[in-house]
Amino acid sequence: MADRQRLGAPSGRRPGGALLGVVPFFLYTTAFLLLPTLIVIVGAFLDGDSRFTLGNLEALRSPAVTTALWQSVALSAVTAVVGAAVGGVLAYAVSTAPAGSLVRRFVTSLCGVLAQFGGVALAFAFMATFGLQGFVNLWLVDLGVNTGGGAWLYTWDKGLTLVYLIFQIPLMVIVFLPAVDGLRPQWREASETLGGTTWTYWRRVGGPILLPPFVGSLLLLFTNAFSAYATAAALISQGSPLVPLQIAASLNSETVLGQENVGKAMALEMVLVVAVVMVIYAWIDRRSSRWLQR
Amino acid sequence: MSGRSASLARRQRRFRWVVITLVVAFFVLPLLGALEFTTRELRTGARTGATWATLVDVNKVSTDYPALKEGFLYSIGLSLITVLIMLALLVPTMTWVRLRVPGMSRTIEFICLLPLTVPAIVLVVGLAPVYSWLSAWLTYFFGADIGESTLWLGLAYVVLVLPYAYRALDAGLRSIDVRTLSEAARSLGASWATVMWRVVLPNLRGAVLSSAFLAVALVLGEFTIASLFSRNNLQVAMFLLGKSDAQISVAVGLASLVFAFLVLFAMSFVGNTRSGTSPLSRWRGRLRKEPS
């Protein structure tokens, strides 16, 4: 049997035997990815005694949770828009540098680090710069500015917006640069040969081509900020102004009777928001890939 | 014509320098702030290298900051475990799917990209029962030392790195003709194990290396899961240290960021990274099939 299979063509005459090869992968991802996701989805509808209930969803309408959701969405939206605008311009600036040049490698590596591996370390760097003892804060105090001891840094609307931007802008560069690189110089030359100005080029050629990938990247930035936990946890020590912090609080605290699965309901809420955004993203990405071969 | 394009190039160059200088200044400002903060004597305001001297002194770190040393070692162990499991899981599966069950490739891709839409904090919520069950069984069979070891987090980290590793390995598999290679090896009498070990793996060197680098970097920066499962790793140790000794924890954070930058910067010179983009751009770049 084994020999026959070994001699068989790679396309596989015995699909049943060939399928055995992917079993380990499916077992693993079932245990550590699909099962946890399922636990969240199902658990959101169960009470403490594993009976079906809509009570957890009711709890989502409590003021603390709705405020956290609204603040999470606002923070993610603002940092996504600002991050996409600044990061988009930076990505274009980088794309005008020749491929393989030092400045390009430097900026893309820096962006890679800040976008992906920052978290707690970046939050600490901001505290050391803008916090009570930070040199920027000390300068501002010397200049007579009332900084309130740098307390603004630890608020979700002012502090977190600034800190989130330091990983949102770099992430925009990483996801948007391939699209900007897809702009052919010939298109610009053609536009200029036909008498177009820089403005006409961006209005009629560059803009329309870059718009779908730009919006797509903006949506990715939104989900990125929406899912972020480490930075917020490092900066915010009082209260839970964002959904991820609410979930963490519900995991850490001794659960109130009848509220055991509210954390799962909030997690489900997060997954739904991210899933909706990602579906729109996938749709836009399909459209944008028509022009830009990556 | 050439005059016009020369002036365009000039304008672009000026624009490039202005934009890059401004934004990079914003990126670097907190890092400079961290450097300034860690080299200042907080009471007198004088410059001092004491914090960094402590940090590079291995003996002093292990006696004064045992949790930091422990977290660092756990992070190293976790990155090794994660890379090994990730490679053992993905390389054979992805190769096998290409050769024998191409119909499964979309399902595999979907599962591998799924973690991008499941935030880590959500994964924690779902993993909590899985882990308590797992550690109960392991404790029953091997005792609490093994059953409650931090290193089991590596199993969850593999899931976190799946999308990134998948992208890197997929790019590698795309660039070689697995089918012809394996058919040639098989017709010369090689077993499937030999094909994997001596034909496919050597040809995937670059992709394996870059997926391993990404996995290591991700594991070294992981905070969410470890912290919520009350386990110690580099980031958790740094976070907890921030409450008692701010200067050391800021210094550790800065050092880890600089280290990650140097690794990425060096990586941009190695391998076939096209047009000098970061290796990270490869995975985020194309994300077609998302769960609907």
Side-chain angles (χ1 to χ4, degrees):
Chain A
M1 274 301 261
D3 263 343
R4 270 196 53 188
Q5 196 190 330
R6 280 179 52 178
L7 292 172
S11 49
R13 265 176 290 173
R14 286 170 14 98
L19 275 179
L20 278 180
V22 293
V23 166
F25 175 83
F26 278 105
L27 282 182
Y28 193 94
T29 49
T30 303
F32 291 99
L33 177 61
L34 304 180
L35 186 62
T37 313
L38 211 65
I39 288 174
V40 168
I41 296 173
V42 174
F45 297 98
L46 296 179
D47 64 11
D49 301 322
S50 302
R51 277 189 307 255
F52 177 81
T53 175
L54 290 175
N56 301 321
L57 304 188
E58 285 293 314
L60 290 184
R61 287 166 53 193
S62 74
V65 180
T66 48
T67 313
L69 180 65
W70 144 245
Q71 289 175 343
S72 266
V73 169
L75 175 66
S76 311
V78 169
T79 58
V81 169
V82 178
V86 179
V89 174
L90 180 60
Y92 174 71
V94 170
S95 80
T96 60
S101 62
L102 209 57
V103 61
R104 202 182 167 110
R105 291 182 199 278
F106 178 82
V107 174
T108 49
S109 310
L110 186 63
C111 286
V113 175
L114 296 177
Q116 219 50 46
F117 319 123
V120 181
L122 280 179
F124 279 3
F126 268 93
M127 287 187 215
T129 312
F130 297 96
L132 184 60
Q133 285 282 347
F135 82 98
V136 173
N137 186 54
L138 295 178
W139 275 357
L140 289 175
V141 170
D142 277 349
L143 291 173
V145 182
N146 179 16
T147 59
W152 62 273
L153 187 62
Y154 305 95
T155 56
W156 71 271
D157 49 351
K158 300 192 197 77
L160 278 190
T161 306
L162 184 74
V163 180
Y164 273 32
L165 280 179
I166 208 171
F167 59 77
Q168 293 281 67
I169 297 173
L171 182 62
M172 182 66 183
V173 173
I174 289 171
V175 295
F176 193 54
L177 189 56
V180 192
D181 273 337
L183 286 181
R184 310 257 169 89
Q186 291 91 323
W187 294 341
R188 181 151 203 166
E189 283 161 19
S191 156
E192 292 194 348
T193 316
L194 294 169
T197 59
T198 301
W199 167 247
T200 4
Y201 169 72
W202 283 112
R203 170 76 188 77
R204 298 291 173 98
V205 185
I209 288 177
L210 287 184
L211 187 64
F214 180 82
V215 177
S217 310
L218 195 150
L219 294 176
L220 264 186
L221 259 58
F222 178 89
T223 61
N224 184 53
F226 193 72
S227 326
Y229 169 74
T231 319
L235 269 175
I236 308 269
S237 51
Q238 290 190 337
S240 309
L242 303 175
V243 180
L245 298 177
Q246 284 276 348
I247 296 178
S250 83
L251 284 177
N252 286 332
S253 67
E254 289 300 310
T255 45
V256 189
L257 200 65
Q259 302 267 302
E260 288 89 347
N261 283 333
V262 173
K264 288 179 185 135
M266 287 190 280
L268 179 65
E269 192 177 53
M270 276 191 87
V271 172
L272 286 180
V273 172
V274 174
V276 167
V277 175
M278 286 310 246
V279 167
I280 306 174
Y281 168 78
W283 179 74
I284 290 175
D285 191 59
R286 242 196 328 274
R287 287 182 59 89
S288 67
S289 52
R290 221 179 277 164
W291 274 97
L292 299 161
Q293 255 113 48
R294 278 175 262 170
Chain B
M1 198 61 206
S2 72
R4 204 189 310 164
S5 64
S7 102
L8 175 68
R10 212 166 28 245
R11 262 186 295 137
Q12 279 189 340
R13 204 176 311 129
R14 204 177 324 128
F15 171 78
R16 180 165 78 228
W17 282 112
V18 170
V19 170
I20 291 180
T21 312
L22 283 179
V23 185
V24 168
F26 170 62
F27 291 165
V28 173
L29 179 68
L31 305 182
L32 280 180
L35 184 65
E36 195 273 346
F37 178 71
T38 52
T39 57
R40 185 184 347 143
E41 171 68 51
L42 284 186
R43 260 160 308 167
T44 61
R47 292 292 108 197
T48 165
T51 306
W52 291 95
T54 312
L55 202 58
V56 291
D57 186 345
V58 179
N59 289 326
K60 203 151 186 316
V61 169
S62 39
T63 51
D64 292 2
Y65 307 100
L68 184 63
K69 180 195 162 206
E70 189 198 69
F72 178 73
L73 292 179
Y74 273 137
S75 278
I76 302 285
L78 280 169
S79 39
L80 280 178
I81 291 175
T82 309
V83 166
L84 286 180
I85 301 181
M86 179 271 287
L87 289 176
L89 200 63
L90 278 185
V91 177
T93 307
M94 289 174 70
T95 315
W96 186 255
V97 164
R98 253 157 216 268
L99 293 175
R100 301 291 301 268
V101 269
M104 294 297 280
S105 62
R106 297 199 141 221
T107 318
I108 304 272
E109 182 177 14
F110 174 78
I111 292 178
C112 284
L113 297 186
L114 197 59
L116 287 183
T117 60
V118 183
I121 180 99
V122 173
L123 211 53
V124 169
V125 176
L127 276 172
V130 176
Y131 262 91
S132 64
W133 182 83
L134 181 77
S135 93
W137 275 103
L138 288 167
T139 308
Y140 178 75
F141 282 116
F142 304 106
D145 273 356
I146 292 182
E148 284 166 16
S149 168
T150 300
L151 296 176
W152 292 110
L153 283 181
L155 295 172
Y157 287 177
V158 171
V159 169
L160 287 189
V161 305
L162 265 189
Y164 314 95
Y166 176 85
R167 290 244 165 273
L169 292 174
D170 189 51
L173 279 169
R174 242 175 243 279
S175 64
I176 61 170
D177 188 349
V178 199
R179 174 157 301 219
T180 310
L181 285 174
S182 72
E183 273 174 17
R186 297 280 292 153
S187 64
L188 291 169
S191 69
W192 279 116
T194 315
V195 171
M196 275 312 306
W197 190 249
R198 303 208 27 207
V199 178
V200 175
L201 213 52
N203 275 297
L204 281 181
R205 246 183 340 241
V208 165
L209 209 63
S210 76
S211 67
F213 267 122
L214 287 174
V216 169
L218 236 83
V219 173
L220 291 184
E222 209 286 326
F223 171 75
T224 308
I225 296 183
S227 139
L228 289 171
F229 280 161
S230 314
R231 300 291 151 88
N232 192 13
N233 71 7
L234 181 62
Q235 301 287 322
V236 174
M238 192 169 87
F239 174 75
L240 294 176
L241 204 54
K243 297 184 198 296
S244 56
D245 193 331
Q247 282 190 309
I248 283 285
S249 68
V250 170
V252 173
L254 182 62
S256 67
L257 285 174
V258 170
F259 174 74
F261 170 77
L262 290 178
V263 169
L264 276 192
F265 193 57
M267 266 173 74
S268 75
F269 289 94
V270 218
N272 52 0
T273 332
R274 99 196 115 77
S275 65
T277 50
S278 145
L280 286 165
S281 61
R282 254 182 264 150
W283 43 264
R284 287 267 190 173
R286 216 186 94 261
L287 208 94
R288 294 280 154 66
K289 289 169 290 296
E290 285 306 328
S292 40

